[in-house]
Amino acid sequence: MDTHSKLHMTTDEFRNQGYKVIDWIADYYEHIEDYPVLSRVQPGDIRAALPASAPQKGKPYQDILADMDKMMPGITHWQSPNFHAFFPCATSGPAILGDLISTGLGIQGMIWATSPACTEVETHVLDWLIDMLDLPEKFKSTTTGGGVLQDTASSSSLVALIAARERASNGDTNKNGSNGHLTAYTSHQSHSSIEKAVKIAGMGKNNLRIINTDETFAMRTDLLRSQIEQDIQDGLTPAFVCATVGTTSSTALDPLEAIGKICKEFDIWLHVDAAMAGPAALCPEYRFIHEGIEYADSYTFNPHKWMLTNFDCSVFYVADRKMLIDSLSILPEYLKTKETETGAVFDYRDWGIPLGRRFRALKLWHVINYYGVEGLQEYMRGHVANTQQLKMWIEEDDRFEVMAPVPLNLICFRHKNGDEFNERLLNELNASGQIYLTHTKLNDQYVIRLSVGQATTTLAHLKRSWELIVNTAEGLNKG
Amino acid sequence: MDTHSKLHMTTDEFRNQGYKVIDWIADYYEHIEDYPVLSRVQPGDIRAALPASAPQKGKPYQDILADMDKMMPGITHWQSPNFHAFFPCATSGPAILGDLISTGLGIQGMIWATSPACTEVETHVLDWLIDMLDLPEKFKSTTTGGGVLQDTASSSSLVALIAARERASNGDTNKNGSNGHLTAYTSHQSHSSIEKAVKIAGMGKNNLRIINTDETFAMRTDLLRSQIEQDIQDGLTPAFVCATVGTTSSTALDPLEAIGKICKEFDIWLHVDAAMAGPAALCPEYRFIHEGIEYADSYTFNPHKWMLTNFDCSVFYVADRKMLIDSLSILPEYLKTKETETGAVFDYRDWGIPLGRRFRALKLWHVINYYGVEGLQEYMRGHVANTQQLKMWIEEDDRFEVMAPVPLNLICFRHKNGDEFNERLLNELNASGQIYLTHTKLNDQYVIRLSVGQATTTLAHLKRSWELIVNTAEGLNKG
């Protein structure tokens, strides 16, 4: 931007067009329920609506904004109160405005000196969150640990694995790359990003042990222990266990305390992935999900899922920050500063994969300040209560069955007519445009997942959705 | 957001506060030169200005916006026309507004179905850019290749390395994790992210061969060849070469054609890192930087550096997308869709580290449409011409010397008074608040880097900066 310019947008033009974009977003939210939740376009439709090549001459900004009409049919409306697919990706007004300020400032916080506020607000807010969620003190920056924002839990789990790999190999993998003897452990209900991380880190998926689960889909610790013992007997080195608080399929809760004791006994890094469920611990009554968390070496949850902060924003804590930094640090001449060399500051480039970093903490700062702890608690409690009400309606209808425990805000259920019927039911519901649901498989059965978490989902929405589900199933039965 | 709510920001409030944030950003740009470019706070100053714990009750949005005053002293002003440190991280009005729309929509494009427009606009714009920069057709989505947006070139280089690792090990590393026999090659002037990637990928930094450079700081291909031959003789498997177009220290240009021929001869993956310099190829007269690019298996450049698109936005192309996808793909039940299973669409979750993805292409779409190809060319040409003018001023002053070739927009220079003097000079200049410069070492000498690329930097700014440098040096000589 420039104050007066032929090439760049002037600040006056930015004001005028910026107001219009703000209005465009507000209008979108006012009419969000008018769109089909799941986009109906076919592969290639959106590309076909766009010019084949880039314009030689620039276009007035209002034409670019108008071009959004060509893209909107290709949008799946994650912020719709009727979006119940996957996990929520809830945003909010303060989050959007906080991120806008970050974008406007356009700073890059790779090291402390390149914008001290970017580093310090991040450290500060992540320390706040430890108290807010009643997490262990060892994760605080004021002790041996610390928090950092990653883009996603995939990246959080990857850096945890790298640190674990280096701890188990005494830094030898970073030096010599020989790590075929290291093993990792997670349940068969854990997130796909764990297998992906094991591959990226060069540990080999054959060295990832997939531990079976109990009837609640939680990791069986007897099997974990026997697998570890077997591996040690075979001359391998167990390096990493990932436990999940709220699995993606069914929000199952791995028993952290029992897993933690095993990790402690065998000196294995315990990483806890609470990507979606973590912020439930804002409410004391849901803190049972974190029982045993004091054994964790690292922990991640995503405010961009169920805490009203727009994507991307994944919180990652580590108990021994030195281990993490030693695993990832680089220090070329052009990044040396006196603050870095004296170690007086955090340089977050050494806490994750990318060197460059946005001022991501600003949106989190906005959300926490706007809602306050009590507002966030009210939001969580509302979703859990509404989910439990919906679960009762499903249980009361003997044509349907709930297929997994519902500790928080996700219901796995199915119609009793079998796999094929449930798949048709899901497709029919999604085709209606009135709801978006996804599926999983539990005990080899096709199961419909209904996840509650978007900011504006109310009990009235869930009631209408339940009626839609019942009526659609009836229609299919008749058809 | 909600149309009427006690808990959430209403759309009316969003409009009112949104306008204020837009004004806040416009005001910031109108006064950006009034701030010291490099933040002057001491470690801990920003944290000390913030409340020790999170508020129990929420705050009105205007108070949160007012709180920005506490953070501004901790901002280093990357968008100032007097920011010449590191590499540029130039943004622009259309980029900010494009990203705001993306944030407002709040969608998550991990797979095609979760917002087809997010995937298709990304594919489309990256195909546009191949024509705009005259890159090889094999990178186009319509052939065997394709483009994808990553957060940073660090991630782009990492995924290139993973794909190379799997190609060289026939997928064995992903399976079994044994990769101690694979070697990688780059020049000692390449970016630190290459060493970091080698460590993350579990290949071991001892298997990274650092190749020496010639008098222009470009990789010596005779040494590359002899090292590869030696490694093969030693029973190792050369897997990956990273060539740099525009090194971070001095914008040196590795000889792509000669390197490419060697990679072809020995069947080694060639990755080209043109993070900052790449978009210069928008102008036909600067396309010499890419001579030999047809040999590359993958290529990255960052529109968030020198192409007016706010951070983060790194373009990554691969010639054989199947190789990349095979290296990174995962397909759990809960992510299966019919479009994915038939292979009719791209699912970008398999093209990078994170599963989740913002609608990042929107800001790039905005920038290209707003400026047009000609506007972007004008912008590039202005910066190169101004940099060359400054270089002449430096060369004409016999107290100073230029220390490396200046092919584009970065000048490495020093005062002839030696290392210690130059370090003092740099510190004094940065302390003035009127400019921000960083340093590097070339041939073991301390060298000041002056990088040109922020949107609003004009020749007048460079002239004032040069006078400041000369006067500050004179002052130091007298003092």
Side-chain angles (χ1 to χ4, degrees):
Chain A
M1 272 183 288
D2 219 331
T3 37
H4 49 91
S5 168
K6 274 189 296 186
L7 184 61
H8 298 294
M9 188 180 273
T10 63
T11 48
D12 280 347
E13 191 187 354
F14 179 79
R15 283 177 210 271
N16 291 331
Q17 300 300 334
Y19 302 156
K20 294 203 176 96
V21 172
I22 291 290
D23 282 335
W24 187 94
I25 294 170
D27 292 346
Y28 172 64
Y29 280 88
E30 283 165 3
H31 297 100
I32 198 163
E33 292 189 62
D34 301 341
Y35 296 94
V37 189
L38 173 64
S39 167
R40 289 170 167 170
V41 300
Q42 295 300 307
D45 282 357
I46 297 298
R47 286 199 72 172
L50 308 177
S53 56
Q56 281 301 113
K57 308 248 177 234
K59 294 163 73 168
Y61 187 77
Q62 51 270 36
D63 295 354
I64 299 171
L65 188 56
D67 273 347
M68 287 305 301
D69 290 347
K70 297 178 186 162
M71 297 185 196
M72 291 310 286
I75 294 296
T76 292
H77 301 277
W78 283 71
Q79 303 308 322
S80 163
N82 301 309
F83 181 100
H84 301 294
F86 308 106
F87 273 152
C89 193
T91 190
S92 62
I96 296 170
L97 298 181
D99 213 23
L100 171 57
I101 294 177
S102 164
T103 306
L105 285 171
I107 61 102
Q108 206 268 59
M110 58 186 174
I111 56 178
W112 179 86
T114 62
S115 270
C118 178
T119 297
E120 295 197 12
V121 174
E122 186 163 329
T123 308
H124 198 73
V125 170
L126 299 193
D127 277 355
W128 275 7
L129 275 166
I130 289 170
D131 291 332
M132 291 165 70
L133 272 67
D134 197 25
L135 293 170
E137 286 288 308
K138 65 178 176 181
F139 289 146
K140 279 200 179 163
S141 69
T142 46
T143 66
T144 56
V148 63
L149 291 174
Q150 309 280 356
D151 54 3
T152 60
S154 300
S155 298
S156 294
S157 297
L158 175 59
V159 299
L161 180 69
I162 304 282
R165 189 190 70 187
E166 294 314 303
R167 191 171 80 170
S169 72
N170 285 316
D172 189 58
T173 307
N174 261 350
K175 275 201 214 79
N176 298 310
S178 53
N179 48 30
H181 64 294
L182 302 179
T183 49
Y185 306 79
T186 198
S187 94
H188 75 73
Q189 292 291 309
S190 82
H191 192 260
S192 57
S193 57
I194 306 304
E195 179 187 322
K196 189 169 175 178
V198 166
K199 293 198 291 188
I200 290 167
M203 283 172 64
K205 64 184 266 194
N206 289 347
N207 296 315
L208 175 64
R209 310 295 185 230
I210 305 294
I211 308 298
N212 224 326
T213 53
D214 64 19
E215 68 288 354
T216 69
F217 307 103
M219 190 194 286
R220 275 184 54 186
T221 51
D222 56 331
L223 298 179
L224 174 66
R225 170 181 285 279
S226 58
Q227 181 67 56
I228 289 170
E229 287 171 342
Q230 182 65 53
D231 287 332
I232 292 171
Q233 208 175 313
D234 292 345
L236 300 167
T237 307
F240 179 78
V241 172
C242 175
T244 312
V245 170
T247 59
T248 307
S249 270
S250 72
T251 52
L253 304 166
D254 284 344
L256 298 188
E257 185 153 2
I259 294 171
K261 283 179 177 164
I262 295 172
C263 288
K264 193 175 175 188
E265 181 181 340
F266 293 99
D267 193 24
I268 304 173
W269 186 290
L270 174 58
H271 173 62
V272 174
D273 172 6
M276 195 283 297
L282 286 164
C283 308
E285 66 270 34
Y286 306 138
R287 285 186 187 153
F288 64 87
I289 65 170
H290 283 154
E291 210 174 309
I293 188 69
E294 62 275 14
Y295 289 97
D297 293 287
S298 54
Y299 171 86
T300 189
F301 83 99
N302 297 350
H304 71 228
K305 284 195 163 73
W306 195 23
M307 216 185 91
L308 297 166
T309 311
N310 60 296
F311 186 90
D312 42 16
C313 186
S314 177
V315 170
F316 177 70
Y317 291 114
V318 65
D320 178 2
R321 65 175 176 261
K322 188 174 177 307
M323 197 68 237
L324 177 72
I325 295 168
D326 284 353
S327 303
L328 293 169
S329 75
I330 39 106
L331 186 49
E333 188 66 30
Y334 49 79
L335 291 180
K336 286 183 183 169
T337 64
K338 64 178 189 297
E339 297 86 5
T340 296
E341 297 203 332
T342 58
V345 297
F346 285 177
D347 287 322
Y348 275 133
R349 74 155 183 238
D350 292 331
W351 295 55
I353 311 296
L355 170 59
R357 312 184 82 248
R358 277 172 70 83
F359 194 170
R360 266 203 204 104
L362 211 42
K363 55 189 177 186
L364 201 46
W365 167 268
H366 270 57
V367 166
I368 295 171
N369 276 287
Y370 186 81
Y371 288 94
V373 173
E374 290 173 14
L376 292 170
Q377 287 171 334
E378 183 185 336
Y379 163 76
M380 295 278 148
R381 284 176 182 135
H383 281 324
V384 175
N386 293 343
T387 307
Q388 300 300 328
Q389 175 60 64
L390 173 58
K391 180 189 160 218
M392 281 175 60
W393 291 330
I394 299 175
E395 283 174 337
E396 283 162 9
D397 189 319
D398 57 14
R399 294 163 296 184
F400 290 86
E401 53 190 335
V402 173
M403 303 299 287
V406 183
L408 298 167
N409 59 337
L410 173 77
I411 307 179
C412 291
F413 70 101
R414 57 187 253 134
H415 194 283
K416 288 178 180 166
N417 273 3
D419 280 7
E420 203 205 331
F421 183 87
N422 280 286
E423 191 169 349
R424 278 169 57 216
L425 173 59
L426 181 77
N427 289 337
E428 191 86 0
L429 287 165
N430 288 344
S432 77
Q434 296 177 64
I435 194 169
Y436 182 24
L437 297 164
T438 48
H439 79 284
T440 190
K441 282 193 176 161
L442 294 174
N443 295 327
D444 269 333
Q445 289 183 303
Y446 190 98
V447 171
I448 297 174
R449 295 167 76 264
L450 194 153
S451 159
V452 178
Q454 299 313 130
T456 55
T457 301
T458 62
L459 189 58
H461 289 105
L462 294 182
K463 189 155 194 299
R464 277 200 303 273
S465 290
W466 175 234
E467 286 161 8
L468 177 71
I469 293 166
V470 167
N471 293 337
T472 307
E474 258 180 40
L476 280 178
N477 265 327
K478 284 180 193 151
Chain B
M1 273 183 288
D2 220 331
T3 38
H4 48 93
S5 168
K6 275 189 295 185
L7 184 61
H8 298 295
M9 187 179 274
T10 63
T11 48
D12 281 346
E13 191 187 354
F14 179 79
R15 284 176 209 271
N16 291 333
Q17 299 301 336
Y19 302 156
K20 293 201 176 99
V21 172
I22 291 290
D23 283 335
W24 187 94
I25 294 170
D27 292 346
Y28 172 64
Y29 280 88
E30 282 165 1
H31 297 100
I32 197 164
E33 291 188 62
D34 300 342
Y35 296 94
V37 190
L38 174 65
S39 167
R40 288 169 166 169
V41 300
Q42 294 300 307
D45 282 357
I46 297 297
R47 286 199 73 171
L50 308 176
S53 56
Q56 281 302 114
K57 308 244 177 240
K59 294 164 70 166
Y61 188 77
Q62 52 269 33
D63 295 355
I64 299 170
L65 187 57
D67 273 348
M68 287 306 301
D69 290 348
K70 296 178 186 160
M71 297 183 197
M72 291 310 286
I75 295 296
T76 292
H77 302 277
W78 283 71
Q79 303 308 324
S80 163
N82 302 310
F83 181 100
H84 300 294
F86 309 106
F87 272 152
C89 193
T91 190
S92 62
I96 296 170
L97 297 181
D99 213 24
L100 171 56
I101 294 176
S102 165
T103 306
L105 285 171
I107 62 102
Q108 206 268 58
M110 57 186 174
I111 56 177
W112 180 86
T114 61
S115 271
C118 178
T119 296
E120 295 197 13
V121 174
E122 186 163 329
T123 308
H124 198 73
V125 170
L126 298 193
D127 276 355
W128 276 6
L129 275 166
I130 288 171
D131 292 332
M132 291 166 70
L133 272 67
D134 197 24
L135 293 170
E137 286 288 309
K138 65 178 176 181
F139 289 146
K140 278 199 180 164
S141 69
T142 47
T143 67
T144 55
V148 63
L149 292 175
Q150 310 279 357
D151 54 2
T152 60
S154 300
S155 298
S156 295
S157 297
L158 175 59
V159 298
L161 181 68
I162 305 285
R165 188 190 71 186
E166 293 314 302
R167 192 171 80 169
S169 72
N170 285 316
D172 189 58
T173 306
N174 261 350
K175 275 201 215 79
N176 297 311
S178 54
N179 48 29
H181 64 295
L182 302 178
T183 48
Y185 305 80
T186 199
S187 94
H188 75 72
Q189 291 291 308
S190 81
H191 193 260
S192 56
S193 57
I194 306 304
E195 179 187 323
K196 189 169 175 178
V198 165
K199 292 198 290 189
I200 291 167
M203 283 172 62
K205 65 184 266 195
N206 289 348
N207 296 316
L208 175 64
R209 309 295 185 232
I210 304 295
I211 308 297
N212 224 325
T213 53
D214 64 17
E215 69 286 355
T216 70
F217 307 104
M219 190 194 286
R220 275 183 56 186
T221 52
D222 56 330
L223 298 178
L224 173 66
R225 170 180 287 277
S226 58
Q227 182 66 57
I228 289 171
E229 288 171 343
Q230 182 65 54
D231 287 332
I232 292 172
Q233 208 175 314
D234 292 346
L236 300 166
T237 305
F240 178 79
V241 172
C242 176
T244 312
V245 170
T247 58
T248 308
S249 270
S250 72
T251 53
L253 304 166
D254 284 345
L256 298 188
E257 185 155 1
I259 294 171
K261 284 179 177 166
I262 294 172
C263 289
K264 194 176 175 189
E265 180 181 341
F266 294 98
D267 193 24
I268 305 173
W269 185 292
L270 174 58
H271 174 61
V272 175
D273 173 5
M276 194 284 295
L282 286 164
C283 307
E285 66 269 34
Y286 306 139
R287 287 187 186 153
F288 64 87
I289 64 170
H290 283 154
E291 210 174 310
I293 188 69
E294 62 274 15
Y295 289 96
D297 293 287
S298 55
Y299 171 86
T300 190
F301 83 98
N302 296 350
H304 72 228
K305 284 196 163 73
W306 194 21
M307 215 184 91
L308 296 166
T309 310
N310 60 297
F311 186 89
D312 44 15
C313 186
S314 178
V315 170
F316 176 69
Y317 292 114
V318 64
D320 178 2
R321 63 175 177 261
K322 188 174 176 309
M323 198 68 238
L324 176 72
I325 295 167
D326 285 352
S327 303
L328 293 169
S329 74
I330 39 107
L331 185 51
E333 188 66 30
Y334 49 79
L335 290 181
K336 286 184 183 167
T337 65
K338 64 178 189 297
E339 298 84 5
T340 296
E341 298 204 331
T342 59
V345 298
F346 285 178
D347 287 321
Y348 275 134
R349 72 155 186 239
D350 292 332
W351 296 55
I353 310 297
L355 171 60
R357 312 184 81 247
R358 277 172 69 84
F359 195 170
R360 263 202 206 107
L362 212 43
K363 56 188 177 186
L364 201 46
W365 167 269
H366 270 59
V367 166
I368 295 171
N369 277 287
Y370 186 82
Y371 287 94
V373 174
E374 290 173 14
L376 292 170
Q377 287 171 335
E378 183 185 337
Y379 164 74
M380 295 279 147
R381 284 178 182 133
H383 281 324
V384 175
N386 293 344
T387 307
Q388 300 300 326
Q389 175 60 65
L390 173 58
K391 180 190 161 220
M392 282 176 60
W393 291 329
I394 299 176
E395 284 174 338
E396 282 163 9
D397 189 318
D398 58 12
R399 293 165 296 183
F400 290 85
E401 53 190 336
V402 173
M403 303 299 287
V406 183
L408 297 167
N409 59 338
L410 172 76
I411 307 178
C412 290
F413 70 99
R414 58 188 253 133
H415 194 284
K416 288 178 179 166
N417 273 3
D419 281 5
E420 202 205 331
F421 183 87
N422 280 286
E423 192 169 349
R424 278 169 56 217
L425 173 59
L426 182 77
N427 289 338
E428 190 85 1
L429 287 166
N430 288 345
S432 77
Q434 296 177 66
I435 194 169
Y436 182 24
L437 297 165
T438 49
H439 78 286
T440 190
K441 281 193 176 163
L442 294 174
N443 294 326
D444 269 334
Q445 289 183 302
Y446 190 98
V447 170
I448 297 174
R449 296 168 75 266
L450 193 152
S451 159
V452 177
Q454 299 313 128
T456 54
T457 301
T458 61
L459 189 59
H461 289 105
L462 294 183
K463 189 156 196 297
R464 278 201 302 274
S465 289
W466 175 234
E467 287 162 5
L468 176 72
I469 293 166
V470 167
N471 293 338
T472 307
E474 256 179 41
L476 280 179
N477 265 326
K478 281 181 194 150

